[in-house]
Amino acid sequence: MYWYVARRLAWAFVATFIILTITFLLLEVTPDAQAAQLQFQAAQGGGSAEAAREAYETRRGLDAPLWERYSNYMINVFTLEWGWSDTRSQPVVEAILDAYPYSLMYGIPAVLISTVVGIAIGLYSATHQYTLADYAGTFVAFFGISIPNFWFGIILLLVFAVELGWVPVLFDPNVPVFSVANAKQLVLPVFVLTTAAIASEMRYARAEALEYVNAEFVKTAKAKGADGRRILTRHILRPALVPLSTILVGDLLGLILTTSYLVEVVFGIPGLGRLSLDAILNQDTALVLGTTFIPVLIAVIGNLLQDLAYTILDPRIDYGDR
Amino acid sequence: MSGNDSATPDAARDATSDATLDATDREGRNPLLSVRDLRVRFRTEEGVVRAVDGVSFDVYPGETVCLVGESGSGKTVTGEAITRLVKSPPGEIEGEVVFDGQNLSDLSEKQLRKIRGGRIGHIFQNPQNALNPVYTVGWQVAEAVRLHTDASRKEARERAIDLLDQVGIPEAAARYGDYPHEFSGGQKQRVVVAQALAANPDLLIADEPTTALDVTIQAQILRLLADLREEFGMAVLLVTHDLSVVAEVADRVVVVYAGKVMESGDVYNIFEDPAHPYTRALLDCLPGRGGETRGIPGRLPDPTNPPDGCRFHPRCPHALPECREGAQPPLYEVADDHEVSCVYYDGSHDPTAITGEASSRPSFPDGGGGGGVSDRANVRPDDSREDEDDE
């Protein structure tokens, strides 16, 4: 098992390396917007576009050989020297550090609630298959999956902020983190994200649990005299956790990569999604790169944790000698 | 084994009414388990499946009763309906199940949980899937102990090790922490038996406990069950399609077909003087009973739409016009502790048409003898891996 863990760790490093290398190569072949702009300005001012480009490249260290630039890039990535954001006039790392607490503020509650509630509803649905409650759960799931998040967010804002005035329309980043005001303005974004994530969690949990609801060993447990709750938590949920643990990482990524953009834009939250979106719109290459590293890191670390969770959750998987 | 004192010769008793067997004493005892007119229906999209349709039988303390029939005859569902293990919905259970004077049909889920695993132990067909793969076998046996006693974790652990030792797991203490996938099929079945025995049950319901096992292991498990029965003095209700197993362990036999009892009685009566054509056909499937081995032609009736009259008449070589109409014939008493549901025994027919001479065994109407036998109907003792789909 230790050998397996060590190998997984090593593989996580390799994967990170590969992803970073691909990112580097992509950047190499991408036309540099700033260089193009400088060249354009130089040409307009009657200067040499070529000279301007060379000056720019020397200044940025782009005239060094490919290998040197690659190793510099790698060192910088691992030492958190992620460059300078021109549009924000601050280091990229600083910009990210400023933004991420806002993402966590709605992200953590959304993930926790959707995981717990989603699995709970899924289990209930599975054990009460084809009852009214099961159909209701299925309806909620499809509602959550089908409804576009940004639209749902806007409608909720219109109803609860504009019409009813229960929550503020504009997100105020200056209120204290643990305060009623902050909780109030986070309710809607968390709710929107949760409805989307709950749906997939619930469907997976239902499908996985159904596989075990009719299992022979569940009947054995019942024949032993175990009560319904014990059967559900010990004999159904526990084996179902193995596959369920795998979708958690995917859900997190989905949340961070896509949903957060929409939610942060709609609700005006200055989190990582907004930061990344603005960087893309303003062609701030360093910042785009920096905000891309975050989901990459989460994916690599998440997959690593998931593989390790397997070893604990399912004793049938033997890693000893491989 | 004698002494059904109140026996009225040729007394016609309705199979679906109260008394198939007298609930009075046999050897002065009351039955431990008394099943009366048990019915289990499943509502499916194809219609209502009547898996068990009015089954009655008794199990006396300490005896082994075998529930025999082809795959799909409703014997498994009968075994699971006793403690209401049948999932409901879609299953619906009716009828009376009296266990040690308690009517189990009246009990709440909570009271029933005390009976399940406490006074009635269960063993299921396939040991491969009967144990939860993510827990150690020791944990699972200890769980059974803790569900029915106030034992502390440590005491339950010790008891579980004792139980594993009793069912013949070598080095039980060392194997306590092993997972089910580290055990062979036979060993898993031993663990399942250990779980069922955790609370010293009075009755063990064993549903095809050897079907999924190798022949050599089958014998070991049967011996283990027989030993444990002796040691614990419990009664065993053995559900099986394997007549060689029946011959080995049964005290009494209940033959079921398509959810109905065809014949029941002492094991010697059933094997020496089988009265019902179905029982005779089953026994003819056994190799080594003289004559060629053959299957029973035809197949089980559609459980959503069983035939009128005797359930077996479409496959019966002796079928008369009256077999095709009305309800299943009542159980007629042909001897002490031997009853059969067949019109030939109503007094107005000559049963020797069925029992006849062994040499003049009837040929089947569709000519199905040695040749065209359907696999499904082929009930032979060595058919150990036959698929069970009693659901």
Side-chain angles (χ1 to χ4, degrees):
Chain A
M1 174 130 154
Y2 293 111
W3 172 231
Y4 171 81
V5 173
R7 278 188 345 131
R8 290 305 312 168
L9 269 170
W11 177 242
F13 269 108
V14 172
T16 314
F17 236 83
I18 292 171
I19 294 165
L20 291 177
T21 305
I22 291 172
T23 318
F24 173 79
L25 292 175
L26 280 174
L27 279 175
E28 273 302 307
V29 298
T30 312
D32 190 324
Q34 273 183 301
Q37 204 183 354
L38 284 173
Q39 278 177 282
F40 182 68
Q41 281 169 0
Q44 266 190 327
S48 159
E50 196 60 19
R53 190 177 64 84
E54 271 169 27
Y56 171 77
E57 283 183 351
T58 316
R59 186 154 52 83
R60 287 297 188 92
L62 293 175
D63 55 347
L66 187 69
W67 174 250
E68 202 182 310
R69 273 184 284 139
Y70 175 68
S71 54
N72 280 337
Y73 162 86
M74 279 298 184
I75 290 164
N76 288 341
V77 166
F78 284 105
T79 53
L80 291 183
E81 295 287 335
W82 289 1
W84 180 265
S85 164
D86 293 316
T87 55
R88 297 177 64 98
S89 301
Q90 68 180 146
V92 169
V93 174
E94 208 172 279
I96 289 173
L97 287 179
D98 283 348
Y100 90 93
Y102 296 105
S103 293
L104 291 187
M105 270 184 227
Y106 69 83
I108 288 177
V111 169
L112 285 181
I113 293 172
S114 62
T115 306
V116 172
V117 177
I119 289 180
I121 298 179
L123 283 181
Y124 186 87
S125 265
T127 47
H128 298 75
Q129 202 186 0
Y130 303 135
T131 60
L132 204 63
D134 179 27
Y135 288 125
T138 307
F139 175 78
V140 169
F142 283 120
F143 178 81
I145 287 177
S146 314
I147 202 158
N149 280 313
F150 67 93
W151 181 83
F152 193 39
I154 291 168
I155 295 295
L156 288 178
L157 268 180
L158 275 176
V159 174
F160 292 101
V162 178
E163 291 295 324
L164 296 172
W166 292 356
V167 293
V169 181
L170 285 174
F171 186 87
D172 180 1
N174 298 318
V175 299
V177 178
F178 296 103
S179 65
V180 179
N182 199 32
K184 256 173 118 179
Q185 64 184 358
L186 286 172
V187 165
L188 289 189
V190 168
F191 185 74
V192 169
L193 280 176
T194 308
T195 47
I198 260 186
S200 67
E201 292 277 353
M202 184 231 134
R203 293 308 290 175
Y204 277 115
R206 182 177 181 276
E208 287 305 330
L210 268 183
E211 207 172 303
Y212 297 109
V213 163
N214 295 317
E216 196 87 347
F217 59 75
V218 169
K219 196 163 74 184
T220 309
K222 197 177 173 192
K224 279 201 280 188
D227 60 36
R229 215 185 66 189
R230 186 177 187 87
I231 289 174
L232 188 64
T233 55
R234 300 290 184 126
H235 291 277
I236 296 175
L237 178 60
R238 180 57 213 283
L241 272 181
V242 179
L244 278 183
S245 67
T246 62
I247 64 158
L248 203 61
V249 175
D251 268 12
L252 269 172
L253 276 183
L255 193 73
I256 288 150
L257 282 176
T258 57
T259 331
S260 67
Y261 282 67
L262 300 169
V263 167
E264 288 185 14
V265 169
V266 169
F267 291 97
I269 302 170
L272 285 174
R274 265 274 292 278
L275 186 68
S276 174
L277 184 70
D278 289 344
I280 292 168
L281 291 176
N282 299 327
Q283 300 195 325
D284 189 339
T285 316
L287 194 54
V288 171
L289 197 58
T291 49
T292 318
F293 286 160
I294 304 288
V296 167
L297 273 178
I298 291 174
V300 170
I301 294 171
N303 279 303
L304 177 69
L305 291 178
Q306 170 190 311
D307 284 341
L308 299 185
Y310 272 166
T311 60
I312 299 159
L313 289 174
D314 195 339
R316 282 167 300 180
I317 304 175
D318 181 13
Y319 307 96
D321 40 7
R322 271 182 293 136
Chain B
M1 260 309 125
S2 68
N4 206 339
D5 300 329
S6 67
T8 32
D10 289 331
R13 298 200 193 100
D14 193 339
T16 60
S17 85
D18 237 12
T20 20
L21 285 161
D22 269 24
T24 52
D25 301 349
R26 174 154 56 223
E27 297 168 9
R29 294 176 300 180
N30 287 317
L32 177 68
L33 175 76
S34 176
V35 175
R36 287 294 170 271
D37 196 21
L38 184 70
R39 286 162 197 276
V40 184
R41 285 186 303 239
F42 293 96
R43 294 195 186 281
T44 67
E45 282 176 15
E46 286 83 47
V48 177
V49 173
R50 294 170 195 281
V52 180
D53 203 11
V55 164
S56 305
F57 61 90
D58 288 329
V59 179
Y60 283 81
E63 74 176 355
T64 300
V65 174
C66 282
L67 215 51
V68 187
E70 283 171 86
S71 302
S73 56
K75 52 194 193 308
T76 293
V77 179
T78 304
E80 288 179 8
I82 289 170
T83 55
R84 275 193 262 148
L85 288 177
V86 174
K87 262 183 82 124
S88 168
E92 290 169 28
I93 305 171
E94 276 172 30
E96 198 184 58
V97 178
V98 178
F99 175 74
D100 201 15
Q102 248 181 326
N103 191 342
L104 298 189
S105 341
D106 297 341
L107 295 188
S108 66
E109 251 318 283
K110 200 179 164 196
Q111 291 169 311
L112 210 52
R113 280 203 297 272
K114 290 212 160 56
I115 303 272
R116 288 184 197 134
R119 301 202 58 200
I120 302 181
H122 284 267
I123 303 174
F124 298 112
Q125 187 176 350
N126 191 348
Q128 303 298 345
N129 304 327
L131 294 169
N132 196 321
V134 301
Y135 295 107
T136 63
V137 295
W139 186 92
Q140 298 189 52
V141 178
E143 183 190 33
V145 173
R146 296 242 315 266
L147 282 170
H148 296 284
T149 57
D150 304 327
S152 67
R153 265 165 210 282
K154 205 174 156 231
E155 287 161 353
R157 187 193 157 89
E158 278 159 16
R159 170 101 176 101
I161 292 172
D162 279 351
L163 282 163
L164 288 172
D165 190 49
Q166 267 173 323
V167 297
I169 300 284
E171 294 176 67
R175 302 223 63 189
Y176 182 92
D178 284 351
Y179 287 94
H181 67 274
E182 293 165 294
F183 286 73
S184 69
Q187 281 181 319
K188 270 186 224 172
Q189 194 63 300
R190 285 172 192 270
V191 174
V192 175
V193 173
Q195 283 192 106
L197 295 178
N200 285 329
D202 301 309
L203 173 66
L204 185 67
I205 299 177
D207 181 6
E208 309 245 12
T210 58
T211 305
L213 302 172
D214 284 331
V215 183
T216 48
I217 310 295
Q218 282 184 19
Q220 290 175 18
I221 295 287
L222 285 174
R223 191 176 315 273
L224 173 70
L225 285 179
D227 290 350
L228 291 169
R229 184 175 74 106
E230 205 114 299
E231 203 178 321
F232 290 85
M234 61 187 174
V236 176
L237 177 65
L238 188 70
V239 175
T240 184
H241 65 258
D242 191 338
L243 287 168
S244 56
V245 169
V246 176
E248 213 167 304
V249 301
D251 294 318
R252 288 176 51 255
V253 181
V254 179
V255 180
V256 288
Y257 179 79
K260 294 273 192 195
V261 174
M262 294 290 129
E263 184 170 0
S264 74
D266 183 272
V267 65
Y268 296 104
N269 289 335
I270 299 289
F271 275 80
E272 296 306 321
D273 300 308
H276 198 281
Y278 177 59
T279 315
R280 300 184 76 82
L282 274 184
L283 288 169
D284 274 346
C285 298
L286 272 178
R289 279 181 67 89
E292 79 272 48
T293 304
R294 59 186 167 197
I296 309 172
R299 45 177 56 239
L300 274 169
D302 177 4
T304 61
N305 184 23
D308 280 347
C310 175
R311 293 279 156 95
F312 187 60
H313 85 253
R315 300 167 75 182
C316 180
H318 308 285
L320 301 170
E322 60 232 71
C323 296
R324 298 189 172 88
E325 49 202 44
Q328 180 72 30
L331 282 165
Y332 299 103
E333 181 144 351
V334 290
D336 256 5
D337 194 16
H338 188 187
E339 295 174 302
V340 61
S341 164
C342 180
V343 293
Y344 277 90
Y345 299 89
D346 68 354
S348 61
H349 294 84
D350 180 14
T352 53
I354 294 171
T355 52
E357 292 298 319
S359 53
S360 62
R361 281 279 162 86
S363 63
F364 288 102
D366 67 347
V373 288
S374 81
D375 275 348
R376 193 179 165 74
N378 207 350
V379 183
R380 283 174 307 180
D382 55 342
D383 238 355
S384 52
R385 290 198 180 266
E386 189 184 51
D387 227 17
E388 265 298 293
D389 42 13
D390 278 1
E391 300 302 309

